[in-house]
Amino acid sequence: MSSDFWTPIKLSVEIASMSVVFVFIFGLLSARFMAKKQFFGKTAAETLLTLPLVLPPTVVGFILIIIFGINSPIGRTVENLFGSTIMFTWWAAVIAASVVAFPLMYQSAKTGFLQVDPGAEEAARVDGANEWKVFWYVTLPLSSRTLVTGLILSFARALGEFGATLMFAGNLPGRTQTAPTAIYMAIESGNLDAAWLWVIAMVGISFLMLLSTSFLKQ
């Protein structure tokens, strides 16, 4: 197959891979904090963290434009530092994918942390382990199955992101045109053969991702 076919798929995998790095780190930290701390407004904070899961992609895209656009403080700062805006770049696609995938990682990590026996963590503390060692050597291993599941689901969600990416990162071939946006443009232009091939590739990748989570539950 030509490079024109593989480029959007390659971009999708690269963007999803980078996004899950951020999602995994911030998902772990947020889930750990929320699982252990009680504070006023916790329910509202958790709702805000999971909100991208139910928001229309166009709403997410609009919010990202407001936050990172050229008229925003963040957008102006980035332009002053790097000489270009975030919008319509590879990093914009990563940000969009990270935002929509984050709730899946957060929910999985929180579920895993809550399932860890507090007695095991307390025993490690009694043996002299500090909180970092308890988290690294006890909490993470005992919740590893749910964490890996969250990572896989987050990757699959980031891989299939379309609406927010199209609004925030655009559809620039070779730069921000992911497989979902390539499918949309192929249908719009009447190139159904290419659309079918991309659809089959995405269905295959997504199927393998979900299948792997089923094995983790066994």
Side-chain angles (χ1 to χ4, degrees):
M1 296 183 183
S2 67
S3 60
D4 291 339
F5 171 79
W6 288 112
T7 298
I9 296 177
K10 180 174 176 287
L11 271 174
S12 293
V13 173
E14 290 175 348
I15 289 168
S17 299
M18 179 57 70
S19 71
V20 296
V21 172
F22 297 116
V23 165
F24 186 72
I25 294 172
F26 289 107
L28 284 186
L29 296 176
S30 301
R32 178 65 175 176
F33 179 80
M34 288 295 184
K36 296 297 181 181
K37 301 294 183 180
Q38 295 295 330
F39 56 91
F40 177 76
K42 180 179 178 179
T43 301
E46 286 195 295
T47 302
L48 186 63
L49 289 174
T50 57
L51 196 58
L53 196 61
V54 296
L55 282 177
T58 50
V59 174
V60 176
F62 177 80
I63 293 173
L64 290 176
I65 291 173
I66 296 300
I67 294 174
F68 295 100
I70 186 59
N71 295 321
S72 71
I74 295 177
R76 288 195 295 269
T77 300
V78 171
E79 186 176 31
N80 291 333
L81 290 175
F82 301 102
S84 63
T85 62
I86 296 177
M87 287 184 62
F88 306 119
T89 65
W90 187 86
W91 285 107
V94 171
I95 293 172
S98 300
V99 169
V100 299
F102 173 83
L104 293 172
M105 187 67 239
Y106 168 76
Q107 291 283 36
S108 296
K110 184 187 173 187
T111 299
F113 293 157
L114 290 175
Q115 290 176 349
V116 173
D117 183 6
E121 295 178 318
E122 188 58 34
R125 295 187 185 97
V126 171
D127 289 338
N130 57 32
E131 288 302 316
W132 168 249
K133 288 184 177 179
V134 170
F135 180 66
W136 185 258
Y137 293 107
V138 179
T139 307
L140 284 182
L142 291 178
S143 56
S144 60
R145 184 169 295 184
T146 55
L147 295 180
V148 174
T149 298
L151 193 63
I152 293 172
L153 292 177
S154 298
F155 180 85
R157 180 64 186 88
L159 192 70
E161 164 52 29
F162 169 70
T165 300
L166 185 62
M167 289 185 64
F168 186 48
N171 180 45
L172 304 176
R175 293 177 58 191
T176 64
Q177 187 184 68
T178 58
T181 54
I183 292 170
Y184 175 78
M185 296 307 297
I187 294 174
E188 284 288 296
S189 63
N191 190 356
L192 295 183
D193 290 340
W196 266 114
L197 290 174
W198 278 316
V199 166
I200 292 171
M202 293 299 289
V203 168
I205 295 173
S206 300
F207 178 81
L208 291 176
M209 293 292 99
L210 291 178
L211 185 63
S212 61
T213 62
S214 299
F215 288 121
L216 288 172
K217 296 176 182 178
Q218 294 179 1

